[in-house]
Amino acid sequence: MRNINEDTITAAVLESLADTPSPRLKEVMSALVRHLHDLAREVKLTEQEWMQGIEFLTATGQKCTDKRQEFILLSDTLGLSMLTVALNHSKSAQATEATVFGPFHVPGAPVLPLGSDIANGAKGEPLFVDATVRGTDGKPVAGAVVDVWEADAEGLYDLQRTDLDHPEGRAVFHADGEGRLHFKAVTPVAYPIPTDGPVGTMLEATRRHPWRPAHVHFIVQAPGYETLITHVFKDGDAYLDSDAVFGVRSSLIGDFQSHPAGVAPDGSTQAGPFHTLRFDFVLEPAARQG
C-alpha cells in the first residue's frame, strides 16, 4: 500500500476489508467507505472542515448521558431514524404505521392498572385515553403490553427535570381480554427538541426550527405480532407539516376532543377543561417480519 493517492485510496481501503469475517459487516463497512470518500470528493472537503466534523461528532458523544442521547437526536433531525423505520417496517394497509423512537424512553416504567393516572404530578390539562389493540384480522389482542410516555405542559419529559425523584408521564399497561386499555394523562403540547448541544448548533446553522408537534409515544407488544413503536399526534398542531424529526404520518393524527369542565369518562368531575382521545392500534403479524 505505497504511494496511495486520491484516485487509489478508496480501492485500497476496500481491499483492507476483504477478510472481514462477517459478510454483513463487510457490506456495511464497504458501503460506508465508498460513500464517505465520494462525499469528500464531491464537496472537495478541506482538512479544516473535516476536523470541524470530527469535533462536532466528539461533542455529540460528550453530550450523551444516561438520560439523554444526542446521537439519537442527530439521527432524528437528519431523517436517518425515520428512513430506517420506513425501510424496516413495511406494513399492510390495515396496520398502524411506525415512527421514530425518540431519545426519552426509559425501560422499566411502572406497570399500572388500567384507568391509572400516568401524569403522577406532571402539569397539563387532563387527557383521558381509550384505546384498543387488535390484529389486522380485526381480532382483539388480549393482554397486549403498552408502554406509554409523554412530555408535560411545558414540553419537558421527566428525564429533563433534575428535581424529580419519581417517574412522570410514563407507564406500562396490559390490555384487557378485549384488547382495550384506558388511562389518564396530560394533553400533549408542541415542544422544541433540546438545542443546548451540537444538534441545536446544527439546526441554527441550517436555519431549521427545533419543534415537534404535540404527541404521545406508544410501544405496543404482544406474542405473535410485530412490535409497534409509534406516536399519536394531536390534530391541528402547527408543526404537523414541519416536524423537526420528520416523524408525522397522517394515519397517526388523532382527534383530541376538547371538553369544558364537567364529568370525565372515568366518572370524575373535572374543574377545568379536559381532552379525550380514542385510538385503535392495529398490529402486524410477526410472520411478516424480515
Side-chain angles (χ1 to χ4, degrees):
M1 289 192 193
R2 296 185 181 184
N3 304 317
I4 298 295
N5 60 37
E6 63 183 81
D7 297 317
T8 60
I9 190 168
T10 303
V13 177
L14 293 175
E15 184 180 352
S16 75
L17 300 172
D19 295 329
T20 304
S22 167
R24 178 58 175 169
L25 178 59
K26 180 180 178 181
E27 178 186 12
V28 172
M29 287 297 298
S30 297
L32 176 66
V33 168
R34 288 195 302 271
H35 289 292
L36 279 176
H37 286 211
D38 286 345
L39 168 66
R41 290 188 178 95
E42 179 182 340
V43 302
K44 297 188 179 346
L45 193 66
T46 69
E47 292 172 279
Q48 181 183 7
E49 289 167 340
W50 181 228
M51 181 54 66
Q52 289 175 331
I54 290 173
E55 291 170 348
F56 176 83
L57 293 175
T58 300
T60 300
Q62 292 171 337
K63 197 66 177 178
C64 296
T65 68
D66 60 340
K67 294 184 176 181
R68 174 167 175 174
Q69 235 302 346
E70 191 77 0
F71 271 111
I72 290 181
L73 279 179
L74 180 59
S75 175
D76 288 352
T77 53
L78 292 178
L80 185 58
S81 297
M82 199 59 225
L83 174 58
T84 56
V85 168
L87 289 170
N88 288 277
H89 296 280
S90 176
K91 297 177 182 294
S92 60
Q94 304 98 312
T96 302
E97 292 186 273
T99 191
V100 293
F101 185 59
F104 295 114
H105 177 262
V106 176
V111 179
L112 300 180
L114 297 177
S116 295
D117 183 359
I118 75 169
N120 199 23
K123 296 178 180 179
E125 290 188 353
L127 170 68
F128 294 87
V129 179
D130 183 8
T132 61
V133 183
R134 58 184 176 84
T136 53
D137 58 1
K139 296 180 180 179
V141 181
V145 179
V146 183
D147 197 337
V148 187
W149 69 105
E150 65 170 348
D152 60 22
E154 295 179 345
L156 295 174
Y157 292 84
D158 54 1
L159 295 182
Q160 296 173 281
R161 295 192 178 278
T162 58
D163 58 340
L164 284 182
D165 59 1
H166 63 274
E168 289 186 354
R170 63 179 74 243
V172 175
F173 294 101
H174 292 265
D176 66 16
E178 297 299 319
R180 294 190 62 182
L181 65 146
H182 61 283
F183 59 91
K184 182 181 178 184
V186 297
T187 303
V189 298
Y191 65 83
I193 62 172
T195 57
D196 60 339
V199 171
T201 301
M202 182 269 291
L203 293 178
E204 182 178 3
T206 54
R207 297 298 185 267
R208 289 176 54 190
H209 75 70
W211 287 85
R212 297 220 64 205
H215 61 274
V216 181
H217 294 264
F218 293 89
I219 299 177
V220 186
Q221 302 178 78
Y225 295 91
E226 179 183 339
T227 294
L228 172 65
I229 299 174
T230 196
H231 302 2
V232 178
F233 295 93
K234 190 172 183 288
D235 194 13
D237 191 282
Y239 296 101
L240 287 173
D241 294 314
S242 62
D243 181 11
V245 306
F246 310 99
V248 178
R249 297 293 179 267
S250 295
S251 66
L252 301 179
I253 298 174
D255 182 13
F256 288 69
Q257 294 190 7
S258 179
H259 305 270
V263 179
D266 65 353
S268 64
T269 299
Q270 299 297 310
F274 63 92
H275 287 79
T276 56
L277 171 66
R278 178 77 180 83
F279 200 84
D280 293 329
F281 296 99
V282 182
L283 302 184
E284 192 77 73
R288 291 183 60 90
Q289 290 181 307

